[in-house]
Amino acid sequence: MAAVLSAVPKPLPIDLPYMPLLKQPLPAGRPREWYIMHNRRLKAMRLAIALLDSGVLRAEQANNRKIRSTAELVGVHPPSDITCHMVRALMRYSR
C-alpha cells in the first residue's frame, strides 16, 4: 500500500500564481547605449513570450503589425523596427 501512495505525483511549484520579481536598479557607470540595448532586449523578450503564448510559433508569422498589436495588448509601448527584428530573432534562435 505504501508503494501506491509514493507513486502519486506531487504538484509542481510552477502551478503557483505568477508573481513578478522585484525590480532592482541597473548598475551605474555604463554607457547610455548599454542601457538602451538592455531595455530593448527585455522588451523583445516580453513580446516574444506574449507572441508564443498567443499562438504565433514561428518568426515568419510575426510581422511588425502583429508584434505592435501584441505590444498594445500586453501594455508595452509600440516597439521600433529594431525591436521587432529582435523579437523575430529571439523566436527564430530559441529552437
Side-chain angles (χ1 to χ4, degrees), residues 74-87:
V74 174
V76 177
H77 286 284
S80 65
D81 291 340
I82 297 171
T83 307
C84 290
H85 185 325
M86 288 178 78
V87 170

Side-chain angles (χ1 to χ4, degrees), residues 53-90:
D53 287 345
S54 70
V56 178
L57 300 176
R58 299 181 63 192
E60 296 81 28
Q61 297 171 327
N63 56 14
N64 288 358
R65 187 179 323 150
K66 181 70 175 174
I67 293 171
R68 289 186 176 118
S69 66
T70 303
E72 186 177 332
L73 287 173
V74 174
V76 177
H77 286 284
S80 65
D81 291 340
I82 297 171
T83 307
C84 290
H85 185 325
M86 288 178 78
V87 170
R88 284 189 291 275
L90 281 171

Side-chain angles (χ1 to χ4, degrees), residues 37-53:
M37 188 58 67
H38 175 77
N39 289 329
R40 185 172 279 158
R41 284 184 188 128
L42 290 178
K43 186 180 206 176
M45 282 191 287
R46 281 190 208 108
L47 290 171
I49 291 168
L51 284 166
L52 290 170
D53 287 345

